[in-house]
Amino acid sequence: GESVGLHLPTLSVQEGDNSIINCAYSNSASDYFIWYKQESGKGPQFIIDIRSNMDKRQGQRVTVLLNKTVKHLSLQIAATQPGDSAVYFCAENIGPNYGGSQGNLIFGKGTKLSVKP
Amino acid sequence: DTAVSQTPKYLVTQMGNDKSIKCEQNLGHDTMYWYKQDSKKFLKIMFSYNNKELIINETVPNRFSPKSPDKAHLNLHINSLELGDSAVYFCASSQVARPNSPLHFGNGTRLTVT
């Protein structure tokens, strides 16, 4: 399954399939992007980040792709598991980068990922 | 062991009251934040403090006043609570000096104003 972006807030996938969550960011001057995962009743948890001088970064079972031409960010989750069920947020850093902090993060609306066993 | 802890987890109060939410981080980070998450899950930064100094202050009513007694603590005091203040408030911290340093969030305080 593939999310077509923030306008589709839910994504349902079968356990074991790959998931792709998309995000359109707003500011061409943004130089740092982050994906967060938020489980019910918990705070957002950092997954992976990428700087604007890169177009791909891989972590454990996750890959983030950045297309600056169309201001698009995606999160790919390989072999999706029930524990991946959560709301996923992309965020961009568009403000003054105070010493490398992510303080001026602008969060997207979030996509809810549901994994069917 | 909790890295960023905030209390209380739930807060139910009536309009017009004054309440505080406390936050502490044991990560040794220099910067702390308050975020507000509305009923549609939209997350928006409210304040940011670096070494007890305010560095970000978004358009937030002045009924909201953050206080940072030291760099490990950032409390949020809200005066004259209104119905629209109902939301989940998240505290977060980051190590400013390190590049690519992620924000660490607490588990939130769900504020309900009746």
Side-chain angles (χ1 to χ4, degrees):
Chain A
E2 180 173 324
S3 167
V4 294
L6 299 178
H7 299 292
L8 188 66
T10 59
L11 175 63
S12 184
V13 300
Q14 201 70 38
E15 181 178 359
D17 287 351
N18 296 333
S19 302
I20 301 174
I21 301 172
N22 296 310
C23 176
Y25 63 92
S26 59
N27 194 317
S28 57
S30 295
D31 62 358
Y32 186 65
F33 305 88
I34 310 103
W35 280 100
Y36 281 90
K37 171 187 180 184
Q38 186 177 19
E39 296 174 278
S40 180
K42 295 187 178 180
Q45 178 185 6
F46 172 82
I47 301 173
I48 193 167
D49 57 5
I50 189 168
R51 291 203 173 273
S52 58
N53 59 355
M54 302 171 68
D55 53 21
K56 180 179 180 179
R57 192 165 187 220
Q58 289 184 296
Q60 189 176 17
R61 281 200 309 117
V62 295
T63 300
V64 55
L65 299 177
L66 174 62
N67 185 332
K68 293 180 288 294
T69 302
V70 295
K71 293 191 289 186
H72 184 269
L73 194 67
S74 69
L75 177 70
Q76 300 177 0
I77 304 174
T80 313
Q81 302 169 0
D84 295 327
S85 295
V87 177
Y88 289 80
F89 294 94
C90 67
E92 59 183 307
N93 190 341
I94 66 169
N97 198 9
Y98 187 88
S101 80
Q102 301 170 40
N104 208 16
L105 278 181
I106 304 298
F107 279 80
K109 292 182 183 177
T111 297
K112 183 178 181 180
L113 176 65
S114 295
V115 182
K116 296 177 288 186
Chain B
D1 290 328
T2 304
V4 181
S5 59
Q6 48 184 116
T7 56
K9 186 169 177 64
Y10 300 97
L11 185 53
V12 181
T13 188
Q14 292 183 324
M15 286 175 56
N17 285 348
D18 304 338
K19 291 293 179 184
S20 292
I21 307 171
K22 296 185 177 181
C23 179
E24 175 182 6
Q25 55 95 3
N26 62 7
L27 297 166
H29 287 168
D30 291 334
T31 306
M32 295 185 71
Y33 314 83
W34 279 108
Y35 278 80
K36 179 180 179 180
Q37 187 172 48
D38 64 21
S39 59
K40 297 180 180 178
K41 297 286 190 181
F42 185 65
L43 268 165
K44 184 174 170 60
I45 189 169
M46 300 173 69
F47 301 102
S48 172
Y49 268 75
N50 177 259
N51 280 323
K52 302 192 299 177
E53 180 182 343
L54 181 67
I55 56 172
I56 292 176
N57 183 357
E58 293 295 310
T59 305
V60 175
N62 57 16
R63 299 182 294 104
F64 290 79
S65 53
K67 286 184 172 53
S68 183
D70 55 62
K71 73 174 190 177
H73 295 83
L74 181 62
N75 303 322
L76 183 65
H77 188 76
I78 315 170
N79 289 326
S80 304
L81 278 155
E82 300 177 357
L83 292 176
D85 298 331
S86 295
V88 182
Y89 292 85
F90 287 99
C91 177
S93 72
S94 69
Q95 180 57 283
V96 174
R98 291 178 55 195
N100 295 337
S101 172
L103 263 68
H104 294 255
F105 284 85
N107 282 327
T109 296
R110 181 174 293 277
L111 172 64
T112 303
V113 183
T114 62

